[in-house]
Amino acid sequence: MKFRKIKYFIIILFICSYFIFNYSSKISVSSNPCSHLYQTDSFERSNNLTRLLDEYFSYRTCVLQHRLSNVDYVIFDAVNGLGNRLLGLLSVTTYALVTNRILLINWRHGDNHLAYFHDLFLPLSPLNENSFYSQYSISRLRNNLRNRWINEIHSQMNIENGMPKDWSFYFDMQILCNDYQYKLSFPKQMTLNILNWFNPHFKWIRTDQYFLPLLTRNQRYRQTFMKLFPNGQIFNQLAQRILKPVEKVNLLVEDFQNKYNLTDEMITIGIHMRSWSSTTTDYIEPFEKCIQHVIQNITRINKKETKIYLYIISNNLKRRQRLEKQMSDSNKSIEILRLSAKRIMKMQYTLAELLILSKMKHLIITSKSTFGMIAQGLANKGAWIVRQGAAHETNSFHSNLCQWESTSEPEYQTMRYLQINNTCPQQNVYLPSIGERTVI
């Protein structure tokens, strides 16, 4: 008898949770004093990116000023190096725009990245945002629990697909499945509703990848992306609005430009040479050949001796110095550009290097390097890609290639084992290919 009462109580709790979860969000909207600034369908109705971003950040500032808890948030959990963090940030920012969530940034020390977001970039609002993320630490725990439950359900449904355990950190099922809901059993759906009820408004996304192509392929939002980004290049336009370096970084870039009196008429080549292991320290041949190839293309028409300026950066100092010496010794018309050492934070110096690289007239970057992808995205132009040094290329030195890539959109690299065709019940969904540079 006692067991039966407990059973009935659980069933009633499940049913109540269902109705509470489905209707509480509708009730909370009416009590939001900022809702008139950016609405649920603002993204879909918009046809002007500048106006959309102005409306969104006005809404965001209003919500943070009022410290509202009845609106939806997405908290970006930054991980790994600078390039990975920027790719993840712009992806999560786009997710926030599409889903009408307030973006918060949890950008802290870690993974050999010794800087906070405010050490590198200006805040996204006039407010002091450094303390906002910490008040949601409990919600992060709840959200992790919710994600793990979703993962368990999906893993059981799609064992043959080899779905990664952490995939739900990247996006939600509505985005992935073009808004078609998964078919869950009643107990699982009710349990999921209870978890959502405890944490309905906060979603933590811990990622270091550029998952934005997943959003652009959603049937509901695809046309809007095409209107907002008619040239198909999303990264550059978002970066210009969101990534505004602090004054120390800007001054370092300006000092570099003034030191060499850089003008648009000068032929400058920026090279980012990523070293994936110590075994490649003395191996500069693919970059040397690519630089020579680019110089030949530049000087093909002009038969007079042309001054060439090379700006080389690398995470391996000896390798960079070796390439600089080799190029200056082999061609007397080459001048090496160097950024002066300053007493600033290491990551501020690295950011200055990245910005200077993006200002070079021609770019040569390393395949699979997020740092190079960011530089190309900021430059908003094509680049020569040296396909040497990535994990799957370390044993293929004989096949080094210097290939032209016209689009400045970063590569899609997340979820390499996810095959989703059988996951969405009512319609097939095809993900971008790994390494694809998606243009809308």
Side-chain angles (χ1 to χ4, degrees), residues 78-102:
V79 289
N80 293 331
L82 179 61
N84 290 101
R85 290 173 182 237
L86 295 180
L87 290 179
L89 173 60
L90 292 185
S91 295
V92 176
T93 300
T94 308
Y95 177 85
L97 290 171
V98 170
T99 59
N100 193 23
R101 288 178 175 268
I102 300 300

Side-chain angles (χ1 to χ4, degrees), residues 76-79 84-85 88-89 91-92 169-170 205-211 414:
F76 169 59
D77 223 351
V79 289
N84 290 101
R85 290 173 182 237
L89 173 60
S91 295
V92 176
F169 282 108
Y170 295 98
I205 300 185
R206 180 180 175 87
T207 183
D208 63 353
Q209 298 296 342
Y210 192 66
F211 64 79
T414 188

Side-chain angles (χ1 to χ4, degrees), residues 207-431:
T207 183
D208 63 353
Q209 298 296 342
Y210 192 66
F211 64 79
L212 198 149
L214 292 173
L215 305 179
T216 63
R217 293 199 177 196
N218 182 280
Q219 289 182 351
R220 178 176 175 182
Y221 306 114
R222 182 172 177 79
Q223 292 301 318
T224 304
F225 275 107
M226 294 177 69
K227 286 187 298 182
L228 294 175
F229 306 94
N231 63 355
Q233 307 293 315
I234 302 176
F235 180 90
N236 179 265
Q237 295 184 55
L238 291 178
Q240 287 181 16
R241 177 60 186 266
I242 298 168
L243 305 178
K244 296 184 178 180
V246 296
E247 184 179 7
K248 286 184 179 180
V249 174
N250 285 330
L251 289 176
L252 195 58
V253 176
E254 290 176 11
D255 288 346
F256 176 87
Q257 292 175 311
N258 294 333
K259 176 182 177 180
Y260 293 105
N261 297 315
L262 296 182
T263 64
D264 294 336
E265 292 73 29
M266 296 171 64
I267 299 177
T268 57
I269 304 176
I271 301 99
H272 176 245
M273 182 169 55
R274 178 71 161 89
S275 295
W276 301 96
S277 69
S278 58
T279 60
T280 60
T281 299
D282 297 327
Y283 194 74
I284 62 172
E285 183 181 356
F287 288 92
E288 181 183 357
K289 288 183 177 180
C290 194
I291 294 171
Q292 292 172 348
H293 175 72
V294 173
I295 292 176
Q296 288 175 1
N297 285 344
I298 295 172
T299 59
R300 186 174 299 168
I301 300 177
N302 188 356
K303 295 183 179 180
K304 296 181 180 180
E305 185 173 336
T306 306
K307 190 74 172 178
I308 305 293
Y309 299 88
L310 298 186
Y311 177 66
I312 304 173
I313 61 176
S314 175
N315 60 321
N316 187 315
L317 177 60
K318 291 183 178 180
R319 196 180 187 199
R320 188 201 77 193
Q321 292 172 338
R322 182 178 175 84
L323 180 60
E324 288 176 342
K325 185 177 186 306
Q326 180 65 25
M327 296 311 304
S328 58
D329 290 347
S330 63
N331 191 331
K332 299 304 178 183
S333 62
I334 288 179
E335 180 178 342
I336 303 298
L337 307 179
R338 295 184 179 90
L339 177 61
S340 301
K342 297 285 185 178
R343 290 188 175 182
I344 63 172
M345 293 177 61
K346 177 183 177 182
M347 291 312 304
Q348 290 178 336
Y349 186 89
T350 301
L351 178 58
E353 286 186 312
L354 175 62
L355 297 176
I356 292 171
L357 182 66
S358 69
K359 295 179 182 298
M360 298 294 104
K361 183 173 290 187
H362 305 276
L363 287 177
I364 299 174
I365 61 178
T366 307
S367 170
K368 308 303 179 187
S369 169
T370 57
F371 195 93
M373 291 181 200
I374 298 295
Q376 188 186 0
L378 295 175
N380 196 26
K381 59 188 176 185
W384 295 93
I385 313 294
V386 176
R387 303 197 175 279
Q388 175 272 315
H392 65 282
E393 298 169 336
T394 51
N395 296 322
S396 306
F397 288 154
H398 63 281
S399 61
N400 293 311
L401 298 173
C402 181
Q403 295 182 336
W404 174 254
E405 177 57 65
S406 58
T407 175
S408 62
E409 278 294 285
E411 292 183 5
Y412 171 78
Q413 282 298 327
T414 188
M415 317 250 319
R416 70 180 60 189
Y417 300 113
L418 179 58
Q419 301 294 327
I420 205 67
N421 290 344
N422 298 322
T423 308
C424 302
Q426 302 181 43
Q427 181 166 325
N428 286 346
V429 176
Y430 298 95
L431 295 181

